[in-house]
């Protein structure tokens, strides 16, 4: 069974890549940008020694599944791990899912980090969420999140945060990700990273978080 979402069926041949590590680290040439505690959407302790960046798309059921596992993992990490949300809208999807990505960006910038996570959760939890009725679903999720849906739609329609979403998308591609969810484990002390693809389970989150912590700064991750 496929455990991650991909733009086309032709790319299913790359499933084998989910068992491989990609080995970039922070440097001037690295495709991944440093995590900003001021501008990023972070769940958990801001000063956690390990960050898990999730590249996500609302069309992906495995992102919904991983989101729940990540939340539990961070909650039980005693402040050792946080979760950073970044966007990876799949190119063959309807613009409706892109609107939802814009919606959560607007909610975070307009109402704060808690509203970002609340709207993200409520959008994922809506049954039969389809891109054709994106505005209706955004309005419903906004109401469940106690947000002003009219203000939110004005922000979404302005496409103000579209460049940020495209930046995340470009970064995911440069990391070698071909589908969602994409997961990057970051050691915030020595800047080592591990890149994985697919709906990782709790045991794998534990394994790779420990691996990125235990890797010396002058060693490559394998």
């Amino acid at each position: 069974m496929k455990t991650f979402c991909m733009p086309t069926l032709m790319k299913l041949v790359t499933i084998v890549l989910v068992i491989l590590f990609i080995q970039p680290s922070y440097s001037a040439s690295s495709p991944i940008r440093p995590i900003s505690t001021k501008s990023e959407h972070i769940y958990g302790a801001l000063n956690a020694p390990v960050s898990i960046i999730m590249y996500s798309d609302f069309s992906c059921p495995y992102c919904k599944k991983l989101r729940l596992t990540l939340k539990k993992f961070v909650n039980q990490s005693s402040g050792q791990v946080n979760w950073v949300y970044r966007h990876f809208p799949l190119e063959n999807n309807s613009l409706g899912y892109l609107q939802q990505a814009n919606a959560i960006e607007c909610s975070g910038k307009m109402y704060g980090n808690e509203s970002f996570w609340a709207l993200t959760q409520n959008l994922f939890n809506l049954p039969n969420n389809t891109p054709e009725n994106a505005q209706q679903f955004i309005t419903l999720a906004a109401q469940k999140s106690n947000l002003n849906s009219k203000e939110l739609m004005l922000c979404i329609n302005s496409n103000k945060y579209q460049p940020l979403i495209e930046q995340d998308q470009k970064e995911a591609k440069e990391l070698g990700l071909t589908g969602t969810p994409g997961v990057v484990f970051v050691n915030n002390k020595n800047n080592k990273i591990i890149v994985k693809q697919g709906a990782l389970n709790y045991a794998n989150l534990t394994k790779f978080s420990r691996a990125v912590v235990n890797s010396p700064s002058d060693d490559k991750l394998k």
Side-chain angles (χ1 to χ4, degrees):
M1 179 178 292
K2 181 163 65 79
T3 58
F4 57 96
C5 303
M6 309 194 82
T8 67
L9 291 176
M10 292 297 294
K11 292 184 179 179
L12 286 174
V13 292
T14 61
I15 288 177
V16 294
L17 295 177
V18 301
I19 63 172
L20 300 177
F21 289 112
I22 302 172
Q23 305 175 32
S25 60
Y26 280 167
S27 67
S29 60
S30 175
I32 190 170
R33 68 184 185 274
I35 296 167
S36 169
T37 58
K38 295 182 178 180
S39 61
E40 298 269 15
H41 306 295
I42 300 175
Y43 180 85
L46 296 181
N47 62 346
V50 173
S51 292
I52 300 177
I53 303 174
M54 175 184 174
Y55 293 86
S56 182
D57 179 46
F58 279 104
S59 70
C60 177
Y62 304 107
C63 295
K64 178 178 180 177
K65 179 180 179 180
L66 179 58
R67 180 186 63 82
L68 297 174
T69 309
L70 265 174
K71 185 175 182 180
K72 179 181 178 181
F73 184 70
V74 170
N75 288 343
Q76 296 181 352
S77 74
S78 301
Q80 297 303 297
V81 180
N82 63 34
W83 165 21
V84 181
Y85 190 105
R86 291 183 182 175
H87 304 276
F88 191 17
L90 303 181
E91 292 178 338
N92 68 327
N93 283 338
S94 166
L95 291 177
Y97 290 123
L98 193 55
Q99 278 189 302
Q100 293 182 31
N102 273 283
I104 59 174
E105 280 300 326
C106 286
S107 68
K109 298 300 189 297
M110 293 169 66
Y111 305 113
N113 197 50
E114 289 187 8
S115 294
F116 171 88
W117 291 106
L119 186 62
T120 300
Q121 173 179 302
N122 286 320
L123 279 170
F124 270 119
N125 287 346
L126 283 175
N128 303 316
N129 185 348
T130 60
E132 292 77 15
N133 297 314
Q135 185 169 337
Q136 175 187 352
F137 286 110
I138 291 169
T139 298
L140 287 172
Q143 291 171 351
K144 289 179 178 291
S145 308
N146 297 315
L147 304 179
N148 186 313
S149 58
K150 290 184 179 179
E151 289 182 354
L152 195 63
M153 288 308 303
L154 285 174
C155 176
I156 294 166
N157 292 333
S158 73
N159 289 318
K160 184 177 181 179
Y161 299 109
Q162 184 66 23
L164 174 60
I165 294 169
E166 292 175 354
Q167 179 185 21
D168 286 355
Q169 182 184 46
K170 180 175 182 289
E171 181 177 282
K173 291 178 180 179
E174 290 176 347
L175 284 166
L177 298 173
T178 56
T180 53
V183 185
V184 180
F185 297 82
V186 182
N187 183 325
N188 290 318
K189 293 184 178 180
N190 64 18
N191 297 325
K192 280 292 183 178
I193 69 173
I194 294 173
V195 181
K196 299 296 289 183
Q197 188 163 277
L200 304 178
N201 59 28
Y202 195 99
N204 283 330
L205 292 176
T206 302
K207 174 183 177 181
F208 300 135
S209 294
R210 289 176 178 171
V212 81
V213 167
N214 294 330
S215 174
S217 60
D218 57 350
D219 283 352
K220 290 184 178 182
L221 298 178
K222 298 180 180 179

